[in-house]
Amino acid sequence: MTLANQIVYFSEKEQTFDSIILYMDLDAFFASVEIREDPELAGIPIVVGGNPKTKRGVVSTCSYEARKFGIHSGMPINQALKLCPHLTMVRGSYKLYGEVSKRIMRILGRYSPTMRVAGNDEAYLDLTDVVSDYEEAKRLATELKDEVYANEELTCSIGIAPNRILSKIASDSDKPDGLVVVKPLEIAEFLAPLKITIIPGVGKKSSEVFSNENVTLCGDLAKLPHQLAYQKFGKYGLKTWKLVNGYNTENTEEKFVSHERKSISEERTFFDRYNSWEEIWIRIDSSIDAIVSRLTIKKMSFKTISLKIRFKNFETYTRAHSLTSFNTSAKHVRIVVKKLLEEFEHKKPEDIRLVGVKISNLRKIDDNQKTLTQFF
Ligand code: TTP
Ligand code: MG
């Protein structure tokens, strides 16, 4: 068997991306909470962790000012003090970090019904069914950053990309307070100047193997013929080659989203001004009827309902709610949309420019199966 026909197989799925994933990570989390609690710590190198009296222990995290001295998480305190003798040590308030983390995750959970908490200060949100494109995802991320800051005075960095690996790399690439969007066709160009070690799994050992072949940047690997990547670096090398060339290497549907990604939606742009919420509701109500009749024709049921609302200054909000079981009734869409609208009731109806309703997380109804009408 020749090398080429051993490996050259790219499935159609690998060449298409239909997910929009957002990754959020708080900046210098523990240190930022300490600075918020004691503003005198702002702007100076501080570390959280270790015992300030004995000067023993390891660094949990440090401020970005301390990072300039080469200090990082996991470093022994005495080493950190050698790098920066005027370093301020702060004892951790771990209970407080836990509370802050919970509150922030609660904020995030309102932006998408599909969320994966990855650590005390990081989480992934699947926005595929929540937004219609990357521009809208970016607006939503800005809103999320503002909300986190308004509530907790903490900054975070966000990456938006077609899969989880890339969304994390995007977020890490511009810290602190960054927002980086990588669309499917921009992946190879985005990764090219970055070190190959930013790819998860490329540790010390594999980076040595890569550098022996003059591969230090993602772009160096991308330029190699894929047969060579396989020959030199094996199966993992080929997977990494696919990633740096912009192929989809992650089956998001399997690992993260457990439902079929389909949706039915209706958006109404208002060219006339409506002076009352009743008039707005009439428009929404007719959208819901249209959506549910399409659902009935398709013999499908839904689990997630989203509302999109845009004001005349182009501020756009998207809110979603997932029911606990699949449903088919317009009544439930109305109940949820009414509930999601409550947040905007204090706004002037004449300022509304667009309202959209979407049902997603769809499933085919089995002919033998009874229609589900369970409440959420
Ligand atoms: P990270 O998100 O890795 O770090 P960070 O938020 O401090 O900084 P960055 O701006 O680079 O995201 O970890 C989140 C928190 O977890 C961190 O504030 C402290 C804690 N932590 C440890 O206690 N030990 C560790 O080794 C690491 C990496 C983190
Ligand atoms: Mg962090």
Side-chain angles (χ1 to χ4, degrees), residues 83-96:
L83 292 171
C84 175
H86 60 288
L87 186 66
T88 301
M89 288 181 68
V90 183
R91 254 219 151 120
S93 335
Y94 297 95
K95 189 164 167 270
L96 176 61

Side-chain angles (χ1 to χ4, degrees), residues 86-336:
H86 60 288
L87 186 66
T88 301
M89 288 181 68
V90 183
R91 254 219 151 120
S93 335
Y94 297 95
K95 189 164 167 270
L96 176 61
Y97 307 148
E99 288 161 5
V100 173
S101 167
K102 253 191 219 150
R103 287 199 296 266
I104 287 181
M105 294 305 161
R106 226 175 285 140
I107 293 175
L108 256 72
R110 293 212 308 273
Y111 284 75
S112 167
T114 317
M115 166 169 164
R116 176 183 283 198
V117 177
N120 55 18
D121 77 332
E122 55 181 323
Y124 296 90
L125 293 178
D126 190 332
L127 299 183
T128 316
D129 290 332
V130 177
V131 296
S132 40
D133 54 29
Y134 279 83
E135 274 64 42
E136 200 182 337
K138 191 172 179 182
R139 277 200 298 273
L140 191 129
T142 308
E143 202 190 306
L144 172 56
K145 279 165 76 72
D146 290 348
E147 193 175 349
V148 167
Y149 193 80
N151 281 272
E152 299 290 342
E153 280 178 61
L154 296 176
T155 62
C156 63
S157 299
I158 289 182
I160 299 170
N163 66 29
R164 274 187 294 148
I165 295 177
L166 287 164
S167 65
K168 180 161 167 44
I169 294 173
S171 162
D172 291 345
S173 74
D174 187 19
K175 267 186 153 295
D177 204 15
L179 170 53
V180 177
V181 179
V182 183
K183 296 179 193 171
L185 294 176
E186 300 166 355
I187 298 170
E189 195 188 339
F190 164 73
L191 290 176
L194 304 180
K195 287 199 178 127
I196 193 83
T197 44
I198 55 122
I199 307 289
V202 181
K204 211 169 160 226
K205 217 169 154 195
S206 31
S207 71
E208 270 169 28
V209 180
F210 279 125
S211 71
N212 287 343
E213 300 299 327
N214 293 325
V215 171
T216 48
L217 303 179
C218 293
D220 299 333
L221 179 63
K223 271 186 252 151
L224 294 183
H226 62 267
Q227 290 94 338
L228 200 64
Y230 181 66
Q231 198 181 31
K232 298 275 183 200
F233 314 112
K235 224 170 150 187
Y236 178 75
L238 182 64
K239 193 176 176 216
T240 312
W241 182 92
K242 286 183 183 177
L243 177 71
V244 296
N245 274 293
Y247 286 92
N248 190 0
T249 55
E250 192 178 5
N251 191 343
T252 311
E253 192 165 12
E254 235 172 56
K255 288 188 199 154
F256 183 24
V257 187
S258 55
H259 61 265
E260 230 186 318
R261 280 191 303 278
K262 281 184 183 160
S263 62
I264 304 174
S265 61
E266 286 264 329
E267 285 185 359
R268 303 268 152 108
T269 303
F270 303 146
F271 297 104
D272 302 319
R273 295 212 299 163
Y274 293 104
N275 295 317
S276 71
W277 278 100
E278 283 72 31
E279 287 170 295
I280 301 280
W281 181 253
I282 290 167
R283 297 295 175 294
I284 297 175
D285 213 33
S286 73
S287 296
I288 295 175
D289 283 338
I291 289 168
V292 174
S293 70
R294 278 156 63 196
L295 181 87
T296 313
I297 293 164
K298 287 175 189 272
K299 289 196 175 160
M300 295 192 96
S301 56
F302 62 88
K303 220 170 170 181
T304 303
I305 299 137
S306 325
L307 167 77
K308 177 160 134 189
I309 186 158
R310 177 171 296 150
F311 292 88
K312 68 176 182 207
N313 59 2
F314 280 88
E315 253 175 41
T316 307
Y317 302 86
T318 309
R319 296 289 182 262
H321 178 87
S322 276
L323 306 176
T324 51
S325 57
F326 285 91
N327 202 296
T328 55
S329 89
K331 187 175 122 195
H332 288 99
V333 182
R334 285 196 175 88
I335 293 171
V336 172

Side-chain angles (χ1 to χ4, degrees), residues 25-28 121 175:
D25 187 303
L26 294 167
D27 301 319
D121 77 332
K175 267 186 153 295

Side-chain angles (χ1 to χ4, degrees), residues 30-48:
F30 293 180
S32 305
V33 172
E34 295 302 336
I35 294 164
R36 174 187 84 182
E37 298 298 304
D38 178 2
E40 286 199 351
L41 300 174
I44 59 168
I46 70 158
V47 291
V48 177

Side-chain angles (χ1 to χ4, degrees), residues 18-66:
D18 48 8
S19 296
I20 302 181
I21 307 296
L22 178 152
Y23 171 81
M24 184 238 45
D25 187 303
L26 294 167
D27 301 319
F29 178 33
F30 293 180
S32 305
V33 172
E34 295 302 336
I35 294 164
R36 174 187 84 182
E37 298 298 304
D38 178 2
E40 286 199 351
L41 300 174
I44 59 168
I46 70 158
V47 291
V48 177
N51 185 331
K53 277 193 190 137
T54 61
K55 314 255 188 266
R56 287 200 163 171
V58 292
V59 175
S60 276
T61 193
C62 55
S63 60
Y64 275 77
E65 287 78 8

